Amino acid sequence: MPGLWNIEEYMDLIKDLGIEVYKDAARPAVSEVGAVAGRTVKALLAPIRGFLWCWEKIEDYVEKEVQKRLEKVPEES
């Protein structure tokens, strides 16, 4: 029928329109959501990072102190 599009033309039009809508509207929003999610994960992991940092410092301290004390112990013959 003249003047009517077939389904393939409609699908191409919708696809092209969807790509443009994504570029103009969705991409910035999705990028912002990703950035917020990344900051949220960092904030949630901060206490764990702090705990691990403290644990490493404690481990270093204990290792050095044990080494110092073992140096004072005389060797057996």
Side-chain angles (χ1 to χ4, degrees):
M1 292 182 180
L4 293 178
W5 293 351
N6 62 23
I7 190 71
E8 289 85 17
E9 290 173 339
Y10 279 118
M11 294 304 290
D12 288 340
L13 180 65
I14 291 171
K15 182 181 83 168
D16 293 341
L17 181 63
I19 291 170
E20 290 303 315
V21 167
Y22 174 75
K23 285 180 183 177
D24 293 341
R27 184 184 293 173
V30 170
S31 295
E32 185 61 27
V33 167
V36 169
R39 289 192 302 267
T40 302
V41 168
K42 275 188 165 183
L44 291 173
L45 292 177
I48 295 171
R49 189 178 304 124
F51 172 76
L52 292 175
W53 180 82
C54 289
W55 185 260
E56 288 174 358
K57 294 299 178 186
I58 292 169
E59 187 178 33
D60 289 343
Y61 174 78
V62 168
E63 185 178 329
K64 288 176 186 175
E65 289 300 313
V66 167
Q67 188 65 30
K68 282 182 192 176
R69 291 179 190 209
L70 286 178
E71 288 174 356
K72 296 178 183 176
V73 175
E75 291 185 27
E76 293 182 28
S77 336

